[in-house]
Amino acid sequence: MAANTAGYFGFRQYSGTGSAPTYEQVAVSIAYNASAIYYGDPVTPQTDGTVARSSSTGATPGAPGIAGIFQGCQYLSVAQKRTVWSNYWPGSDVASTSVVTGFIINDPNAKFVAQSDSTGIAAADVGSTIGFLIGSGNTANGLSGAYLDTSTINTATYNIYAPFKIVGVVNDPPGAPGTLSNSQAYDYAIVSFNYVATKNFVGI
């Protein structure tokens, strides 16, 4: 069986309340001068009501949690003089008076597939909470470089501040890239929201 390799793509929709391809995405605002946000990136709510690309996150008490998973945006391009629909926000190309509309998935029942780091995720990790590393986005295709951070796996105690919970590992088709392997490295896991704006356990 070929070994898995790193090919990070962020958080890819696996299931949710809605139906493909939109999965009941919701519109959010992005500041005109915000940093780039890539398709599949987690985003974090800001104090001005906008969202921005999340920093790498484990489980930080008092943090706002993530707002959802970024799916693209719409904006009036200064360079192209037209409205652009894009799967990622480049971080510029709008006037300071313009509004950038982003689209995110924040369905509390949503599940996503994401790749692990070189340590990998074992079947025994199902039910644990986990964080992520943001990685580098790809400007050629707009895809996120985020991936699961196995150093934040919490198997002993359910962590209310962790952004995700592991609900499964990918086994099929056998031998495909990302499937659970003997080495466990760079395999794919199925995760659900644990601490997101529409679902958290803080104060319970």
Side-chain angles (χ1 to χ4, degrees), residues 63-97:
I66 59 175
I69 302 298
F70 188 75
Q71 298 291 286
C73 61
Q74 171 194 355
Y75 59 93
L76 180 60
S77 167
V78 171
Q80 300 182 53
K81 305 296 189 292
R82 65 181 181 87
T83 298
V84 171
W85 294 80
S86 175
N87 69 334
Y88 85 109
W89 162 238
S92 60
D93 194 26
V94 295
S96 60
T97 54

Side-chain angles (χ1 to χ4, degrees), residues 31-42:
Y32 80 96
N33 59 349
S35 299
I37 311 174
Y38 297 87
Y39 185 91
D41 271 344

Side-chain angles (χ1 to χ4, degrees), residues 12 14 45 53 89 97 113 145 150 153 157 179:
R12 180 187 301 159
Y14 179 78
R53 189 186 193 200
W89 162 238
T97 54
V113 172
T150 59
I153 290 177
T157 305
T179 52

Side-chain angles (χ1 to χ4, degrees), residues 3 15 30 54 59 62 70 72 74 76 78 82 102 117 122 140 142 151 162-163 169 184 190 192 194:
S15 68
I30 303 168
S54 300
F70 188 75
Q74 171 194 355
L76 180 60
V78 171
R82 65 181 181 87
D117 55 27
S151 71
V169 290
Q184 309 297 331
I190 303 166
S192 62
N194 181 65

Side-chain angles (χ1 to χ4, degrees), residues 28-38 41-57 64-70 89 100 102 104 132 134:
V28 293
S29 295
I30 303 168
Y32 80 96
N33 59 349
S35 299
I37 311 174
Y38 297 87
D41 271 344
V43 291
T44 300
Q46 306 297 296
T47 56
D48 62 358
T50 63
V51 301
R53 189 186 193 200
S54 300
S55 300
S56 298
T57 301
I66 59 175
I69 302 298
F70 188 75
W89 162 238
V100 181
I104 65 171
F132 61 88
I134 201 64

Side-chain angles (χ1 to χ4, degrees), residues 111-187:
K111 294 182 177 64
F112 303 89
V113 172
Q115 190 170 31
S116 72
D117 55 27
S118 59
T119 298
I121 294 172
D125 294 324
V126 172
S128 306
T129 53
I130 191 169
F132 61 88
L133 294 169
I134 201 64
S136 299
N138 187 328
T139 57
N141 57 26
L143 295 184
S144 168
Y147 56 100
L148 296 169
D149 180 7
T150 59
S151 71
T152 63
I153 290 177
N154 194 323
T155 57
T157 305
Y158 188 79
N159 195 314
I160 61 174
Y161 291 102
F164 295 101
K165 182 177 181 180
I166 302 169
V167 296
V169 290
V170 175
N171 292 308
D172 297 314
T179 52
L180 196 65
S181 62
N182 292 330
S183 66
Q184 309 297 331
Y186 306 118
D187 49 12

